[in-house]
Amino acid sequence: VRVLRSGSGPPLVYLDVVTPESACWLTIHDLLAARFDVVVPVLPVGSFELKAPRSVRDLAILARDLIDSLRLADVTIVGSSLGGWVAADLATSCSHGLAGLALLGALGLPPAPGAAPDVFAVSAEDAASLFFRRPDDVPPEHADGISVAEQVRGRVKLMARLGWNPYLHDPLLASRLHRIDVATSVIWGAEDRLLPSVQAEGFAGAIPGARSRIIAGAGHLVAIDRPAETGAAIVEGR
Amino acid sequence: MDFYFFHLMPWPYLPDDYEQTYDSAWVTLPNTLYDPVRGHELYSRYLDELELADAMGFDGICVNEHHQSAWGTMPSPNVMAGALARRTKRAKICILGNAIPLREHPLRVAEEVAMIDVISGGRVVSGFVRGIGAEYHTFGMDPSESRERFIEAHDLIVRAWSEPGPFSFEGTYYRQRHVNIWPRPIQRPHPPIWIPSQGSGETIAWAAERRYTYMQNSTPAARIKVFYDEYRQRARQAGYESTAQQLGWAVPVYVSDTDAHAREEAWPHIDYYFNKLLRMPQQLWFPPGYLTDESERRVLAAKRGYTAGPRTLEDVERDALVIMGSPASVCEQLEHWYKELGYGVLIAFLQFGTLPSELTRRNMDLFVREVMPRIRPLGASPAAA
């Protein structure tokens, strides 16, 4: 597994699930690198034809293997969106050696009926506005040559592969969240239109001791919309 | 040339404000717009038209499967095929097709089609389709598994029809310890299999390798040539020369006394067919993962503009999306495209959109008397193209 890595301090693995072309070093990574040895795995989700990994659990096992093979001890895991689901799954099943967990707009829990739009049934333009507070304002350096539209298309495809039905969630995840015994922050964009911030309560209520932080002026990809505030919330949460 | 009469059983009563109020005739169009009493009358009329086609000498009569849509009101084509099996005597009954990956278990399709084959005395043609993208929204089936499920469901059904049971089947999606269907189909080793498609490369190759009749729907004729050429090429790679009888062209046809009358009479109903019933946002047509990246490029190129914006009379004539005119003119067009495409199976939609009963029957009558005899000899020898 290819990784992007920079910074010094205790290890931090940042999980997001994007197409390999869209994987890049973000402002949030820079901010975290001031305090952590930041490792960003480029998960081998590959082209859409690639059969494996076919499940969030596959990705969680892959991430766990990566942490072990890099001998990262006392690692903080940050997971955003689909990556938040992967991080939560990892932490519920094999949480040894974790020092902290931050879930940013994590998928994985069922949205309340009628509370979330069907991301697979909206137009490409509308899909972008479900991910970013203002798609037109997404900073270009984050895109690394990939247009916002193309990134969103890739994200939607990966979500479809891993979360078409049940819709963006694992019906059994909620019943396993109590097993997470590491300091956990649940961070959400106040203007998340993909999964409204009320979802944060689902995680924070079920993970012992977890705290939730709602970030104003941020959409679903809270770390891209508001990197400074998100970074501060991750650091405070440890 | 073989002639098949195809019915979509469309809903012709969309409200006047349909275009302003709704974005699609599929998936989300409220079913309060469906009136079951009018539906009863329509089913009676449409089944009568299919039965008439049998009596008039069509080689086959065709039904198909669509869900949650005004486009076609046959969520179960097997129910319609069952109704036709007892009321018709001669024509093939073509189910074009069963959307096998949408079923929780495809063995049910094997059983139902075997039943209809037995009831009809061996007249079934069994089409298999993946179901269009919209239907993956309807059923919540994972579109990225669609192709694998299709192939596995096909394998299970064909084995259930043709191999002595009981045997066990262990697939990725379907597992069954005792496959042993009663009844078995009359036709041996199994009913003919046709593959209707929108032109995905994987499907064309797969159908050609198995010598299944490939049927192209709703595509500009110039693009169909590309797909047929690919089928013929794939057949050669598989070690044989395909025949015209393996290439089906599904197209609305309208015959009147003159070209001008044909256009004038057919256009409102063609307009309804293309511009109302086919309205569907791109994301419903092709949910993420329904097509491979490569096929997505191909199919979208073939269908460019198909769902975007209204189609004019000139558009549909230029692209041969509809064949209409006087008998002589319709024959000329069918002959022209025979030379270009090399199709040997014409699957004619002689009812489409809002075309009423009287015009449908006159269209059928003119087609059978004036068009069929002249076109019949085409394709008796290996395809020209």
Side-chain angles (χ1 to χ4, degrees):
Chain A
V1 175
R2 187 163 70 92
V3 299
L4 312 174
R5 189 169 186 174
S6 182
S8 58
L12 181 149
V13 171
Y14 190 102
L15 294 172
D16 198 355
V17 183
V18 296
T19 57
E21 312 82 70
S22 298
C24 65
W25 191 258
L26 305 173
T27 305
I28 181 73
H29 300 146
D30 261 341
L31 295 170
L32 293 169
R35 302 281 296 263
F36 297 95
D37 168 16
V38 177
V39 177
V40 181
V42 181
L43 294 171
V45 287
S47 75
F48 201 66
E49 287 79 16
L50 196 72
K51 289 197 181 91
R54 286 301 285 257
S55 69
V56 166
R57 175 59 56 85
D58 285 342
L59 290 174
I61 290 170
L62 198 73
R64 180 75 246 182
D65 289 348
L66 181 78
I67 289 166
D68 292 345
S69 69
L70 292 175
R71 301 181 193 285
L72 304 178
D74 295 326
V75 63
T76 295
I77 299 187
V78 178
S80 168
S81 188
L82 255 178
W85 185 358
V86 174
D89 190 87
L90 186 159
T92 58
S93 56
C94 41
S95 61
H96 56 279
L98 301 191
L101 176 67
L103 304 175
L104 318 181
L107 315 186
L109 292 181
D118 181 352
V119 68
F120 307 124
V122 300
S123 69
E125 303 77 59
D126 290 347
S129 71
L130 298 179
F131 285 85
F132 300 101
R133 179 166 165 268
R134 276 204 274 272
D136 294 343
D137 295 347
V138 176
E141 78 274 9
H142 134 76
D144 209 19
I146 306 286
S147 72
V148 168
E150 194 57 27
Q151 284 191 55
V152 166
R153 185 170 166 272
R155 283 184 184 272
V156 171
K157 279 193 161 195
L158 290 165
M159 284 181 178
R161 191 203 296 170
L162 298 168
W164 178 267
N165 189 1
Y167 181 68
L168 304 183
H169 75 279
D170 171 357
L172 298 178
L173 180 65
S175 66
R176 295 175 183 144
L177 290 175
H178 72 92
R179 301 189 68 230
I180 298 178
D181 62 352
V182 62
T184 300
S185 304
V186 181
I187 299 167
W188 225 276
E191 296 174 40
D192 189 335
R193 285 184 291 269
L194 182 77
L195 287 172
S197 59
V198 66
Q199 289 288 112
E201 294 167 20
F203 282 103
I207 300 171
R211 293 184 299 177
S212 67
R213 271 290 303 278
I214 309 298
I215 309 272
H220 178 65
L221 297 176
V222 54
I224 293 173
D225 273 348
R226 286 280 178 266
E229 293 84 341
T230 305
I234 293 169
V235 172
E236 282 165 25
R238 286 191 75 236
Chain B
M1 186 69 62
D2 291 337
F3 299 94
Y4 288 76
F5 175 85
F6 189 103
H7 220 308
L8 273 170
M9 301 201 179
W11 185 252
Y13 305 123
L14 289 175
D16 292 341
D17 68 346
Y18 161 72
E19 275 150 313
Q20 293 77 48
T21 311
Y22 308 102
D23 67 354
S24 173
W26 297 75
V27 184
T28 55
L29 185 69
N31 67 358
T32 46
L33 296 177
Y34 182 85
D35 174 349
V37 175
R38 292 180 116 175
H40 168 76
E41 291 161 5
L42 267 184
Y43 274 156
S44 300
R45 176 199 144 190
Y46 289 161
L47 284 165
D48 284 348
E49 288 166 3
L50 283 153
E51 290 168 21
L52 179 63
D54 168 62
M56 290 174 90
F58 282 87
D59 298 295
I61 50 180
C62 312
V63 293
N64 82 342
E65 171 173 343
H66 284 299
H67 298 271
Q68 300 194 169
S69 170
W71 165 257
T73 57
M74 280 181 284
S76 169
N78 299 343
V79 168
M80 289 307 176
L84 292 168
R86 285 280 297 167
R87 297 274 298 168
T88 59
K89 293 291 171 255
R90 204 195 42 76
K92 292 275 188 191
I93 297 169
C94 309
I95 305 163
L96 303 177
N98 270 290
I100 50 181
L102 295 178
R103 294 290 188 110
E104 288 292 339
H105 208 302
L107 211 74
R108 182 62 182 258
V109 173
E111 292 177 332
E112 289 173 359
V113 173
M115 285 172 67
I116 301 163
D117 200 46
V118 171
I119 294 170
S120 67
R123 287 188 285 134
V124 166
V125 169
S126 178
F128 294 137
V129 295
R130 289 167 64 199
I132 69 165
E135 284 147 357
Y136 288 78
H137 288 284
T138 296
F139 281 97
M141 303 302 274
D142 182 347
S144 73
E145 292 176 353
S146 159
R147 179 167 303 283
E148 288 176 7
R149 287 178 75 106
F150 174 83
I151 289 171
E152 192 174 307
H154 159 274
D155 294 348
L156 172 56
I157 292 168
V158 169
R159 287 189 59 192
W161 280 341
S162 53
E163 287 183 25
F167 62 87
S168 69
F169 186 91
E170 278 292 322
T172 305
Y173 301 98
Y174 313 108
R175 287 164 294 276
Q176 191 169 349
R177 281 181 293 152
H178 310 284
V179 180
N180 188 31
I181 61 166
W182 287 68
R184 297 184 291 129
I186 284 192
Q187 298 181 84
R188 305 309 302 163
H190 56 74
I193 293 172
W194 288 15
I195 305 297
S197 172
Q198 301 186 79
S200 101
E202 294 88 346
T203 301
I204 291 172
W206 180 88
E209 284 159 16
R210 282 160 188 76
R211 306 189 183 214
Y212 293 158
T213 294
Y214 176 80
M215 168 181 156
Q216 185 73 36
N217 284 347
S218 308
T219 305
R223 288 293 304 180
I224 295 180
K225 174 153 175 54
V226 175
F227 297 148
Y228 283 179
D229 284 345
E230 197 170 319
Y231 184 99
R232 286 182 278 257
Q233 179 64 28
R234 291 289 188 172
R236 271 177 224 118
Q237 285 169 11
Y240 75 99
E241 283 294 322
S242 59
T243 66
Q245 280 66 40
Q246 285 168 262
L247 296 172
W249 182 23
V251 63
V253 177
Y254 188 76
V255 195
S256 190
D257 54 343
T258 67
D259 287 355
H261 283 160
R263 288 193 187 98
E264 187 183 318
E265 289 157 13
W267 174 245
H269 314 292
I270 294 288
D271 181 34
Y272 187 94
Y273 173 89
F274 281 108
N275 297 324
K276 291 194 172 177
L277 293 176
L278 260 187
R279 263 173 95 229
M280 194 184 332
Q282 178 95 350
Q283 63 272 15
L284 290 187
W285 261 110
F286 300 111
Y290 178 76
L291 297 173
T292 60
D293 290 342
E294 172 60 20
S295 284
E296 192 164 87
R297 281 187 286 276
R298 285 163 48 105
V299 172
L300 294 187
K303 303 239 170 191
R304 192 176 300 287
Y306 200 75
T307 57
R311 291 238 156 192
T312 63
L313 175 64
E314 293 69 35
D315 291 337
V316 301
E317 289 208 289
R318 181 196 59 230
D319 290 339
L321 285 167
V322 177
I323 302 297
M324 58 183 144
S326 67
S329 169
V330 165
C331 287
E332 277 162 28
Q333 293 173 69
L334 292 175
E335 284 163 352
H336 167 77
W337 288 114
Y338 171 73
K339 291 191 191 101
E340 289 289 314
L341 303 176
Y343 68 96
V345 178
L346 180 65
I347 300 126
F349 298 37
L350 298 172
Q351 194 284 334
F352 40 79
T354 41
L355 193 71
S357 173
E358 317 79 72
L359 291 184
T360 301
R361 284 170 182 257
R362 202 189 61 173
N363 189 25
M364 292 169 73
D365 182 58
L366 284 169
F367 184 87
V368 168
R369 283 193 296 111
E370 310 273 348
V371 176
M372 222 189 248
R374 183 165 148 192
I375 303 299
R376 178 68 84 181
L378 299 182
S381 53

